[in-house]
Every structure is written in C-alpha cells, then in structure tokens.
Amino acid sequence: MVQAVQPITSADKTFIQLRRDIVEGEIPASSKLSEVELSTKYEVSRAVIREAINRLESCRLVERKPNVGARVVSLTPQGLKELYQVRESLEGMAARLAAVNMSEEEIDDLRALLDTHFKNVKEAENYYQEAGDLDFHYRIILGSKNAQLMSILFDGIYHLIRMYRVQLGMAGPRITTAFDEHRNIVNAIANRDPELAEMLMRRHIQYSGNVHQENLTKNSAKSIS
Amino acid sequence: MVQAVQPITSADKTFIQLRRDIVEGEIPASSKLSEVELSTKYEVSRAVIREAINRLESCRLVERKPNVGARVVSLTPQGLKELYQVRESLEGMAARLAAVNMSEEEIDDLRALLDTHFKNVKEAENYYQEAGDLDFHYRIILGSKNAQLMSILFDGIYHLIRMYRVQLGMAGPRITTAFDEHRNIVNAIANRDPELAEMLMRRHIQYSGNVHQENLTKNSAKSIS
DNA sequence: TGCAGCCAAATTGTCGACAAAATAGCATTT
DNA sequence: AAATGCTATTTTGTCGACAATTTGGCTGCA
C-alpha cells in the first residue's frame, strides 16, 4: 500500500512561498506586508494571505500589530546572537539525546555521510559546504527522537538563521575545522557519551556563531561607511 | 503620557479563551475541534475560530490535518518527557544568560520574592507553591534578556506543561527541597557564575520532571486498573 | 458474508463584501 | 509656523456564502 501524499492547500503553498521570499530576501527585512498587495501578487484571496502571515508570525519571521499590520522582522546583531544562544542550547540537547537514542544504523549512515561530504568538499571546495553542514545537523536533530526539539528547530530557528545568513552574506569558511568538529561529535555519539556529545556540539555552534557575528559587524560597518 | 493599552481583537480573545479551555481540560485532550461547533459555542465567525486554531497549532496544543480538521494533542508519557528535555535545555540556558544579563536590582527583587514565598509557604503549605515556582522561573527567563527564549517558553512550552500538570493532577510536593534549589540558583546568578547557574537549573528541572514522570505512570496505572 | 464502488451528508478551504480601525492629508487656530 | 482637530482614504478585522474534499453509509456484486 502506497502512502498517500498529504494534500497541500493553497494556504500551505502560499505560506511556503512567502517564507522562501522572506528568507531569501526577495521581500526585504523590515518591510511591511500589505494583505491586499500580497493577495494580488500571489493571486489568492486575502484569507489565504492572512493565514500565511499568521503562520509566519509564529515562526517569528514577521511581527504583527493588531489593526496595523505585519512587518518582516528586522535583522540586528543582537537578534542573531539570541538565535545562536537558543540554537546552541537546543542542538546541544539534541546531540545529548542522539547519543542515547540514535540507532547503530543511523550512526553508520551519519558516518558515511561525513565521508561523502569530505570527498566532495575536497573536490569542489565550497559547493557542498552548506548543504553538508545542514545535513549533518539535520540528522542529529532527527536522532534526538524528540518531536518538540525538531519542531522548534526545523520550523522556527533554522529559517530565521538562514535568513540572517543569506541576507548578510555570511558564508563561513571554517570548512576543514568544522569537519573535524563534526567527526568528533559523531564519535561521541557512537561512544554513547551524551555529555561529551552535547559539549562538543555546543562548542561547534559557538564557534560558527562567533564567525557569523564577526562577519555581521564587519559587513554592517562596511555598509555604513 | 499614559501607555495606551494594545487593542485586543476578537480572534485574540477567542485564542486565549480556547487555549485556557484546552489547558484546563474543559476541552479534553485528543478531542476533535469542529469549526462550526466552536463558532456557535464562542459566538464568533468561523474565520475567527480558524485563526485561533491556527495559533493553537503553532503552540503545539492542537494538531491539524489539511481537509480533515484539528484535534487537541494527546497526552503521553513520552510527550511529557520530551517537553521536560526541551525545558531543561532552554531554562538551563536562561539561567546561564541571567547570570550575565540580570541587573543587580533584578537579582535583589528575585531574592525578595524567594523570601516572601518562603514565608507564605510555611503558613499555607501549598497554596502559593505553584504560583511561587512559576514566578521564580518566569523572572529568570526574563532575566536572560533573550526574546527567542522567552517566546518559545512562555508562548509554547509552558502552556503545554501546564496542560499535563492540570490534567494529570501532578502537584509535586518537593516544597522545601525545591526552595533550597531555588536559593542556590539565585546565589549562582548573584555570583555571576553562568556555568553553575545553568547546571543547577538543569538539575532542578530534571528532578521536578522525574517526580512528574512517576506521578504520571502511577496515575495512568491507576486509571487503567 | 465480505468487499468494492458510489452517493449523500458533513466538514474544511476559499472567496468577496462589509464593518471597524488606523493613517495621512488638509483646514483651522493660536 | 507649529500644533491641533477633522475628514477622507486606506488597511485590517469579521462575517456569511460557496467550492472542494473527506467521511460514513448504502447498494450491488462476487
């Protein structure tokens, strides 16, 4: 028996499209979201747009004021810092839980993934870089087997962080060092060492967060001058 | 000049009312939420109900399937466990950040609060217990000065945890020991010791989580027999 | 009896219209 | 000229109706 694909409503599609446009910067940060304007642009009724905006609000990608309207959130160094703090905490916990809950098979797959990425990265320096990093974190979060954790990270934090990365052009170098960090984390998980796995993951995210912070202040200084 | 109160829309009120009814169990767990039924019950249009349900979904209090409808989430031991794992992680981080970001005045206030609660608890054993505990955690999360953290905890996790507590009747005793734990956490924050504050907070939540877990399994065993 | 397909009822998804509120511009006053 | 108050316009909030989809039950057939 084939699993029937879940039907996607118009509101779903509009939400996903809108989210994409906001994250990728086609709808710029801090800009106002007019319901009528968007409903003509995306060719759906205002009700659909309203539902999409509501969902975007609960992702914290837009902010709404009653009777006034919705704006895309504005990007601030403070905001990015806060995001990374939450991410560090949650993914640290994810690594801790993964060290307990991941199956041996999942761990083997994760190792294989790392090898593949390593080869690809050596060949085409930074093409696979972001995708590889994402894959890695994605699997560990899945490995935590904690639905709340997954929901908060995948539906919320990750889109926000990506928004910062795309719009402030923060392609962290750090390729080879990040790779060693990834490998150490997998080893900790394979050794069923939750404390170490958490600690390594938290450090790993702290480092990448710091890099982004620096890029951000550098870039905003540039754009001011 | 007086700060104007933010206008509250019908959808806001309905959302808050619905959330209350779900958390307090007046709308039982796992029950279906019919839009027409609710719109007659709360005397608002279906559009308002839909918006409220959408927001409840992003709080993870209800689950929706396209073209089928929304159900209140079901309460499972696994679900409670996952919630406490996330809570431990996030509030641990909150305590860590509070140790850095809370002002001296806020710390003094927190100390005063603890004293007040201690007296009240001694007088009327468990009346102030829950409110006191809530107050304490609330202030530390505020003290983190991290908007993401606050939003995830206040808007999401806390209502869900309360739902479990109310509906599965988990009034943890643990009054005096919890008090000592609270005091130690405040001391760590006052000493500007982030690592210790985080560790103590995480333990504190682990303990209370364990108590609730036990109550839960006990109660569900009871209700089965 | 069991099962497949179909039909009817109920439920959700979408839409356009109206009501209420906020905003912007203009006139008036000091 | 600046500030205040009013009015017109725009924008959001709410509603009821229609369309699309699912669900439950019925009929007919093997």
Side-chain angles (χ1 to χ4, degrees), chain A residues 41-57:
Chain A
K41 178 176 174 185
Y42 292 95
E43 293 175 317
V44 288
S45 77
R46 261 188 63 216
V48 171
I49 292 289
R50 273 181 74 83
E51 180 165 339
I53 289 181
N54 271 325
R55 290 202 230 169
L56 289 170
E57 188 191 15

Side-chain angles (χ1 to χ4, degrees), chain A residues 205-216:
Chain A
I205 290 170
Q206 270 179 24
Y207 291 157
S208 66
N210 287 343
V211 172
H212 288 167
Q213 295 286 333
E214 287 159 21
N215 278 17
L216 180 92

